[in-house]
Amino acid sequence: MQARPDLTGSFGMCASTHWLASATGQAVLERGGNAFDAAVAAAFVLHVVEPHLNGPGGDLVALIAPAGARPQVLAGQGPAPAGATIEHFGSLGLDLVPGAGALAAAVPGAVDAWLVLLRDHGTWEVPDVLGFAAHYASRGHALLPAEVATIAGAADLFRESWPSSAALWLPGGRVPRVGEVLSNPAWARTLGRLGDAAVGSTREDRVDAVRSEWRTGFVAHALCGAAGDPHRHSSGGVFPGVLSCEDLADWEAGYEEPVRGSFRGHEVLKAGPWSQGPVLLQTLAILDGFTDSELDLDTPDGVHRVLEALKLALADRDVHYGEDVSVEHLLSAEYAAERRTLIGERASAEFRPGGDSTYRPPLVEGATVLDRTIGEPTVRGDTCHLDVVDRWGNVISATPSGGWLQSSPTVGELGFALGTRLQMSWLDPRSPSALRPGQRPRTTLTPSLLVEDGEVVSAFGTPGGDQQDQWQAAYVVRVLAGGLTPQQAIEAPAFHTTSFPGSFWPRWWTPGGAVVEDRLGFVDDLEARGHVVTRAGDWALGRLSSVSRDPSTGQLSAAANPRGAQGYAVGR
């Protein structure tokens, strides 16, 4: 029996990782806004109600498909600051970028990207879009269990080393209770000041005026000032960050062409290799050579094949992906066929990239994903996701993240923290994803669009760090090869591999590792094949959501994850 219904309608659909964001998006649609207006309003609400999973100091990747126009990537991942060099980190005695602290901050990209989207494809004014988030920032929101657990885990750090974070997240010096209503007056004031900056003769000019205030005005000056104050990092050291006002002023969000792959006659669109998006495309290309019965994920054979394909694609990610890298060969049918031959009856515990690169990342065995508590939490979510489709056929899939409340000290006058996306970068110049000033770190953010006969038919994605494309791979296989509805596929037992170096500090790996929901039912069989299995619980993995559209009828649908009773889809 399904936990949630298959939602259908013809007016508009919103799905996200928090019910208040989904409701906000739908409210915008009901008031005449389009999918992009709705997504921007919902995203700013996510900053408020999921602050442990994303924030204004973070980043985003989105795939957009305006009605009648070609799909594009909205690139909201800021680059490394000019002062973020391998030499500088080495001079501090670091061999990895820390997982917490402003030294790991890239240029914040999320807010500028959302405003660029609003300017180019939306219809609403900035103050109206920001009004929903301002309401929750000033009136407060009820704290979720995962949010309280995050605050509790960081409470000692806040009290001892990050007093501005303690002032916001520890009312009266204590960890707040689940369900307690907590407000963020500083962020509410910041939103008000940004709305007041929306001055100009055209709507586009007014949006750009707000962008300028963010990138060069009071926000920029507060951010670069706070980044320069020495503070404790996750490595234990006390350092200042290197983000400058020039870094903030020099970068702007923009658009790129997606990369494309295929599975079962459908085209799948992803961001390029500066994200991990091609991992899904490589995995699906390998799996497309198996029959539907061989990919039945209600069998150990099917799950085994998907896990092994994911290991191969993720190994390629860690050796080949980065800024300004071509993945044409990695996505070819010939290369997929070559990689497919490596999938045997036994689970591999080896790191097996293809191609001719001699570079290998360090492989440090450590705890399983369930035990990783510093950096990005990856079981209950580390990120947010939202999908919107409207009655005109506009579609967006977006994955915002970073700037978590636990990522770096709160900038008290602004009400949010800087992100730590530079921890994706290696301090090894041989790596294609090495830390390089002015270049984007290889992010894990990876939303998706599904295309049939040239028309976008679905938008989907999930939080989950390194697991994002893994959980999406199982979703696509279940929908396109298994015949499940999106809601059924989202609710089906989830699994992923940890047999690769993690993208987040301290970058452990578990050779042959597989994390599964206990409901999978054949864990013993997977262990007999050599998988090093961690049981996560019955409903613990994956936070997928999706929206869909039938181009022939205009019928819309939506689905959302029931795990944690937090994500919801709405629509009519």
Side-chain angles (χ1 to χ4, degrees):
M1 180 178 177
Q2 287 179 217
R4 301 276 178 83
D6 296 292
L7 299 187
T8 60
S10 57
F11 180 82
M13 294 279 170
C14 300
S16 82
T17 48
H18 196 289
W19 66 87
L20 289 177
S22 299
T24 293
Q26 191 66 24
V28 172
L29 295 181
E30 298 291 347
R31 299 179 195 184
N34 66 20
F36 308 117
D37 299 313
V40 175
F44 276 89
V45 168
L46 286 173
H47 291 161
V48 179
V49 300
E50 290 191 323
H52 57 307
L53 307 178
N54 83 139
D59 11 76
L60 79 91
V61 180
L63 283 161
I64 66 169
R70 73 181 191 279
Q72 290 183 297
V73 176
L74 175 64
Q77 175 57 64
T85 65
I86 292 175
E87 293 73 20
H88 177 67
F89 280 73
S91 72
L92 300 175
L94 297 170
D95 57 5
L96 291 174
V97 178
L103 191 60
V107 176
V111 169
D112 193 59
W114 287 124
L115 293 175
V116 166
L117 178 67
L118 181 68
R119 179 196 65 190
D120 297 340
H121 297 286
T123 64
W124 277 31
E125 296 285 348
V126 173
D128 297 327
V129 167
L130 300 185
F132 298 89
H135 169 86
Y136 291 112
S138 61
R139 295 286 298 274
H141 74 286
L143 297 176
L144 299 164
E147 191 176 352
V148 171
T150 300
I151 295 170
D156 288 342
L157 171 65
F158 290 176
R159 293 187 185 105
E160 296 168 7
S161 302
W162 294 2
S164 59
S165 297
L168 176 57
W169 301 110
L170 301 175
R174 60 174 177 81
V175 175
R177 301 178 298 275
V178 173
E180 183 173 347
V181 175
L182 194 66
S183 63
N184 188 342
W187 179 231
R189 289 192 296 270
T190 299
L191 289 169
R193 293 181 67 181
L194 290 172
D196 291 343
V199 177
S201 58
T202 68
R203 194 185 69 87
E204 290 76 11
D205 289 342
R206 292 188 286 276
V207 175
D208 278 337
V210 179
R211 294 179 60 223
S212 179
E213 191 64 45
W214 176 269
R215 294 171 49 243
T216 65
F218 78 96
V219 173
H221 286 93
L223 287 176
C224 62
D229 290 335
H231 55 277
R232 183 183 169 193
H233 284 61
S234 58
S235 62
V238 176
F239 316 111
V242 295
L243 182 71
S244 72
C245 288
E246 290 76 19
D247 295 319
L248 288 156
D250 289 345
W251 181 82
E252 299 183 52
Y255 305 99
E256 299 179 5
E257 291 298 311
V259 292
R260 298 167 182 264
S262 62
F263 182 76
R264 295 300 195 262
H266 290 70
E267 200 172 30
V268 184
L269 275 55
K270 303 290 288 187
W274 55 271
S275 76
Q276 68 173 342
V279 164
L280 179 60
L281 305 184
Q282 284 194 249
T283 302
L284 293 175
I286 294 170
L287 296 177
D288 211 20
F290 293 107
T291 66
D292 288 354
S293 61
E294 289 174 321
L295 295 180
D296 183 351
L297 299 187
D298 288 329
T299 69
D301 286 341
V303 171
H304 169 75
R305 292 187 178 100
V306 172
L307 285 169
E308 295 304 294
L310 285 165
K311 292 177 189 176
L312 296 171
L314 286 160
D316 279 345
R317 180 197 72 170
D318 289 316
V319 167
H320 297 294
Y321 290 15
E323 187 83 89
D324 300 324
V325 169
S326 172
V327 290
E328 182 178 359
H329 173 64
L330 300 179
L331 298 180
S332 68
E334 295 76 16
Y335 185 71
E338 174 188 325
R339 300 290 273 166
R340 194 178 303 120
T341 64
L342 298 177
I343 298 178
E345 294 300 314
R346 297 282 301 171
S348 172
E350 299 178 32
F351 183 75
R352 299 187 292 176
D356 56 5
S357 174
T358 59
Y359 169 74
R360 296 293 182 271
L363 300 174
V364 180
E365 292 189 36
T368 71
V369 68
L370 295 180
D371 299 318
R372 297 176 188 175
T373 58
I374 302 175
E376 183 177 62
T378 52
V379 176
R380 284 292 176 183
D382 51 86
T383 299
C384 303
H385 186 78
L386 63 93
D387 304 292
V388 187
V389 59
D390 65 28
R391 62 190 185 275
W392 301 289
N394 299 301
V395 182
I396 179 171
S397 178
T399 309
S401 184
W404 316 304
L405 67 86
Q406 69 275 24
S407 63
S408 61
T410 297
V411 183
E413 64 190 276
L414 300 178
F416 64 87
L418 284 164
T420 54
R421 189 59 58 181
L422 294 189
Q423 67 180 294
M424 310 288 96
S425 302
W426 291 100
L427 299 180
D428 182 344
R430 299 172 301 162
S431 170
S433 56
L435 179 67
R436 296 182 177 92
Q439 290 197 359
R440 291 173 290 192
R442 192 204 69 216
T443 182
T444 53
L445 308 181
T446 176
S448 303
L449 292 180
L450 191 65
V451 177
E452 184 178 12
D453 297 328
E455 295 275 359
V456 173
V457 295
S458 185
F460 59 93
T462 179
D466 288 316
Q467 283 67 254
Q468 289 181 31
D469 280 319
Q470 301 197 59
W471 294 334
Q472 290 180 61
Y475 170 85
V476 173
V477 168
R478 283 180 165 127
V479 170
L480 296 185
L484 272 62
T485 68
Q487 188 64 46
Q488 291 169 338
I490 287 171
E491 294 185 15
F495 58 88
H496 60 266
T497 179
T498 53
S499 190
F500 58 92
S503 292
F504 297 89
W505 185 90
R507 311 198 78 147
W508 288 314
W509 86 311
T510 304
V515 182
V516 306
E517 289 186 326
D518 296 48
R519 299 183 291 130
L520 204 61
F522 39 79
V523 176
D524 290 347
D525 190 289
L526 293 175
E527 290 178 326
R529 293 167 186 253
H531 294 282
V532 180
V533 176
T534 298
R535 294 166 173 82
D538 284 341
W539 293 85
L541 306 177
R543 292 180 68 201
L544 281 146
S545 64
S546 73
V547 297
S548 301
R549 179 177 183 270
D550 184 337
S552 63
T553 65
Q555 187 78 0
L556 310 177
S557 60
N561 168 55
R563 297 165 180 85
Q566 183 175 327
Y568 275 87
V570 296
R572 69 174 180 89

